[in-house]
Amino acid sequence: MTHLSARRARIRSSILTGLAIASVALLTACGTGGDGGTGGADSSEAPTELGENESTVSILAWPGYVEDGSNDPSVDWVSAFEEETGCMVTSKTYGTSDEAFNLMKTGEYDVVAASGDASLRLVAAGDVAPVNTDLIPNYEGIYDFLKMQDWNSVDGVAYGIPHGYGANLLMYNTDAVTPAPTSWDVVFDESAQYTGKVTAYDSPIYIADAAMYLMTHQPDLGIENPYSLDETQLAAAVDLLKAQRENIGEYWSDYLKSIQAFETGDTVVGTTWQVIRNSLAEGTPAEVVLPEEGVTGWSDTWMVASEAQSPNCAYAWLNYIASPEANAQATEYFGEAPSNQGACDFTVNPDQCEIFHAGDEEYASQIWYWSTPIEDCLDGRTDVKCTDYSDWTTAWQEIKG
């Protein structure tokens, strides 16, 4: 088995095991405060100084984020952390953001790596605490355009440390889809010509992709932020996705299945990640493009549990994983851009940062990073209530039927 194939098998096993263990309960409420907001805490709740490290730290993360050599002896950034800090790591992987949200309610984890479709829900539920970035020296090296954003801060209070980021791109089979697409219309208004071979990401957060498309193609709807939809705007996105549903061959959440579908030709066009394109078997006729409407994407955040049993080790982990060396290892292994501007000096592949457009602010400005929909409109509107994640979850069930 090749190194890539072994890695795929390990990550596939981790994802499927996590999904089997947890029956991912769909949310009936977003857990917002009485004002419909995120219920964020005051910055004074963050620690002003750190104490002695505890002996252990428990981490909840996406597969591939906390590697200690047990999956592959050559892939290990945890052991160095343990030797440096004395904090012995235990970790658990999860397969979806909903699963991570539910697992954090157990109180068993000190740290979580959360994507933007979970981070504000964790803040609203009181499961994560404000973070004092002054206590994290490596925070200074993180790209400024990733700091203090909608998905990792509330009312000017930081709730975590950026990890890595990437875009949800459009991939197409160059033999089947001609001419080369420049718009998302090939998976929306023009998707009928590829019936049964269109794919899309399987999550309520995918509603934002439809909303982003409508920002350009139905400007009268007044959508300014694809994660900030009132009832009328959400209904329009749902209608677009219901029409698309008729042409979807398969929704995907396991990126390994997406790789296989493009390699076999079962899928010819749809949402993808750069790592999927990079992992395709040699000779697969597929390319990726960032369409003219822009893209959605993710910027994951390391967050500290509000009731962390090992808060000092939790801070030690946030500082360590944000270091150029560890950030380079973790993000290159997973397949995304690093958050630390010094990480590019430590990647194994000298082209890694160029491939993933690390630090390219113009490229990053075209990405609408996953943010949890909440009633307090993220676009600044105060005359209406926006739909929240529970509304999107209900809508997604309706779309898929």
Side-chain angles (χ1 to χ4, degrees), residues 272-352:
T272 196
W273 299 337
Q274 184 68 53
V275 67
I276 293 176
R277 171 62 188 89
N278 296 347
S279 301
L280 292 176
E282 185 175 354
T284 303
E287 293 296 341
V288 295
V289 62
L290 193 159
E292 58 195 24
E293 297 91 354
V295 293
T296 60
W298 74 92
S299 174
D300 291 345
T301 303
W302 289 105
M303 311 180 86
V304 177
S306 54
E307 302 295 332
Q309 298 300 304
S310 300
N312 297 295
C313 280
Y315 266 77
W317 174 261
L318 263 61
N319 186 55
Y320 173 80
I321 200 65
S323 68
E325 299 89 343
N327 189 233
Q329 288 179 277
T331 56
E332 183 172 19
Y333 181 72
F334 185 81
E336 59 190 338
S339 62
N340 191 304
Q341 53 196 320
C344 296
D345 294 333
F346 295 92
T347 58
V348 175
N349 181 354
D351 299 324
Q352 170 75 9

Side-chain angles (χ1 to χ4, degrees), residues 29-346:
C30 187
T32 53
D35 61 355
T38 59
D42 186 272
S43 60
S44 63
E45 296 184 22
T48 57
E49 60 182 7
L50 297 176
E52 293 294 322
N53 286 341
E54 304 84 4
S55 59
T56 63
V57 62
S58 180
I59 302 174
L60 180 65
W62 289 107
Y65 272 25
V66 187
E67 291 296 314
D68 61 2
S70 57
N71 287 324
D72 183 336
S74 68
V75 180
D76 180 4
W77 50 88
V78 169
S79 295
F81 167 76
E82 293 176 329
E83 293 171 5
E84 177 182 316
T85 65
C87 303
M88 303 307 293
V89 172
T90 59
S91 64
K92 179 179 178 60
T93 59
Y94 62 83
T96 70
S97 288
D98 284 344
E99 185 184 349
F101 178 80
N102 290 321
L103 285 170
M104 281 300 290
K105 291 194 169 302
T106 67
E108 297 176 4
Y109 307 98
D110 300 304
V111 178
V112 60
S115 291
D117 56 337
S119 54
L120 291 191
R121 283 190 282 162
L122 291 168
V123 173
D127 294 329
V128 293
V131 168
N132 183 349
T133 57
D134 291 340
L135 300 178
I136 303 172
N138 284 317
Y139 185 73
E140 183 178 354
I142 292 174
Y143 294 118
D144 286 340
F145 63 84
L146 297 176
K147 296 177 178 178
M148 302 303 291
Q149 299 297 327
D150 287 342
W151 57 89
N152 58 29
S153 69
V154 177
D155 296 332
V157 178
Y159 272 84
I161 303 300
H163 173 72
Y165 66 98
N168 297 315
L169 301 167
L170 173 65
M171 186 152 71
Y172 63 99
N173 182 303
T174 55
D175 291 340
V177 182
T178 57
T182 59
S183 167
W184 286 107
D185 60 4
V186 292
V187 299
F188 289 122
D189 293 331
E190 305 298 327
S191 62
Q193 59 188 312
Y194 307 111
T195 297
K197 295 194 173 186
V198 179
T199 192
Y201 189 61
D202 190 1
S203 169
I205 206 67
Y206 182 66
I207 292 172
D209 290 61
M212 179 188 66
Y213 180 77
L214 293 172
M215 288 171 66
T216 297
H217 297 274
Q218 292 188 36
D220 290 347
L221 287 168
I223 299 174
E224 298 291 337
N225 181 321
Y227 305 101
S228 185
L229 307 179
D230 59 35
E231 290 185 0
T232 299
Q233 294 165 339
L234 177 62
V238 169
D239 286 344
L240 181 63
L241 290 168
K242 283 182 176 179
Q244 181 198 54
R245 177 70 182 91
E246 298 178 7
N247 301 311
I248 291 286
E250 184 177 13
Y251 292 100
W252 68 274
S253 57
D254 179 348
Y255 82 97
L256 299 169
K257 290 183 179 179
S258 179
I259 291 171
Q260 182 179 28
F262 269 98
E263 288 177 343
T264 61
D266 290 339
T267 293
V268 300
V269 67
T271 315
T272 196
W273 299 337
Q274 184 68 53
V275 67
I276 293 176
R277 171 62 188 89
N278 296 347
S279 301
L280 292 176
E282 185 175 354
T284 303
E287 293 296 341
V288 295
V289 62
L290 193 159
E292 58 195 24
E293 297 91 354
V295 293
T296 60
W298 74 92
S299 174
D300 291 345
T301 303
W302 289 105
M303 311 180 86
V304 177
S306 54
E307 302 295 332
Q309 298 300 304
S310 300
N312 297 295
C313 280
Y315 266 77
W317 174 261
L318 263 61
N319 186 55
Y320 173 80
I321 200 65
S323 68
E325 299 89 343
N327 189 233
Q329 288 179 277
T331 56
E332 183 172 19
Y333 181 72
F334 185 81
E336 59 190 338
S339 62
N340 191 304
Q341 53 196 320
C344 296
D345 294 333
F346 295 92

